[in-house]
DNA sequence: CTGGAACCTCAACCGGGCTTGAGGTCAAGC
DNA sequence: GCTTGACCTCAAGCCCGGTTGAGGTTCCAG
């Protein structure tokens, strides 16, 4: 059987502070059962859920969007391989476009560095 | 002669709202003279200063850092070509590193999508 | 000279992603 | 049974880059 874990254990194993975990819960990203004494108990799958949240967040995905996709899982479910793949497809486009945007900026930046134009009409950087 | 401009004109020509301009001023990024009636008057060079601010901000540079480099200019000075070049050298490294970081993430993301691991010990995404 | 647009200040608020603190409760080891 | 540490809630605060609004003043055209 898989025993439940406390918030302290979850924090310790995931490296995410209690406060953040409670915040995630308040935002509906993770869920807990309460003991008779009103303390949180998490199923072990929550560890993977938190891992997923951190990984996605690390990629710059806002918590709200992470919550949207996590909502597609059962509340006690860990992200499966298929799930991760779908999220990946969904978000890799995001990452690509952010890379493109940065690269375009870099190019404009270096181009503009030479011209010193910075006019609101003509400068590509201001678009 | 080059007449001074009001905050309304500055807002209109730069496309930046009054409120943001006043905020920039409060943060020391731009400066104004006051009329006897306490209204702001900007030298025309401020237009370029604002352009510089927006361009740099567009690149993800925080206002505070933009302020640091603008502080090297006389308070009524527009960014010159040399100035822009120095800022460019200073910041293009920033942009490069941000691109690198994103690319590494993208790679990890696609690698991880297949494995579905997401373990705190082994998953590269969680570093 | 007057009306209305443009300007002024100051304070409060927004969203995102939390942290910190006060004040109180629960659970486990001795 | 008692102590101690882990836990609880709720509210407030922080940083960033501003926006919004109230209440008041200035400028300019007619």
């Amino acid at each position: 059987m898989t025993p439940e874990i406390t918030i302290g254990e979850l924090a310790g194993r995931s490296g995410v502070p209690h406060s953040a975990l409670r915040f995630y819960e308040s935002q509906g990203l993770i869920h807990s059962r309460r003991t008779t004494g009103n303390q949180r108990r998490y199923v072990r799958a929550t560890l993977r859920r938190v891992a997923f949240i951190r990984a996605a967040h690390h990629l710059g995905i806002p918590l709200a969007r992470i919550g949207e996709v996590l909502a597609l899982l059962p509340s006690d479910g860990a992200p499966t391989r298929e799930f991760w793949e779908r999220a990946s497809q969904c978000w890799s486009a995001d990452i690509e476009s952010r890379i493109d945007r940065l690269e375009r900026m870099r190019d404009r930046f270096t181009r503009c560095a030479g011209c010193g134009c910075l006019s609101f009409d003509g400068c590509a950087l201001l678009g």
Side-chain angles (χ1 to χ4, degrees), chain A:
Chain A
M1 62 168 294
T2 59
E4 296 171 316
I5 58 178
T6 66
I7 195 169
E9 277 175 312
L10 187 55
R13 286 170 180 272
S14 67
V16 176
H18 312 73
S19 55
L21 292 173
R22 280 194 271 258
F23 179 72
Y24 292 160
E25 195 167 329
S26 77
Q27 304 300 298
L29 298 175
I30 58 178
H31 309 274
S32 63
R33 184 181 75 80
R34 296 304 182 101
T35 65
T36 54
N38 197 34
Q39 297 198 354
R40 289 172 177 85
R41 289 298 179 270
Y42 298 99
V43 293
R44 296 194 64 81
T46 311
L47 214 36
R48 299 202 132 211
R49 249 180 124 95
V50 173
F52 180 82
I53 293 166
R54 294 305 267 198
H57 190 219
H58 214 73
L59 293 171
I61 318 288
L63 288 192
R65 278 198 72 191
I66 301 174
E68 286 169 20
V69 303
L70 274 179
L72 303 173
L73 282 179
S75 70
D76 59 348
T80 62
R81 204 178 76 98
E82 291 74 34
F83 181 77
W84 180 253
E85 272 170 10
R86 265 181 297 155
S88 167
Q89 279 165 17
C90 183
W91 288 338
S92 61
D94 276 21
I95 304 173
E96 280 306 328
S97 78
R98 289 203 291 147
I99 290 176
D100 287 352
R101 222 172 71 91
L102 264 183
E103 276 172 348
R104 273 198 308 275
M105 293 234 229
R106 177 197 52 192
D107 295 347
R108 287 172 178 177
F109 199 57
T110 20
R111 248 205 327 278
C112 264
C115 80
C117 63
L118 270 184
S119 88
F120 278 104
D121 295 332
C123 183
L125 262 174
L126 300 167

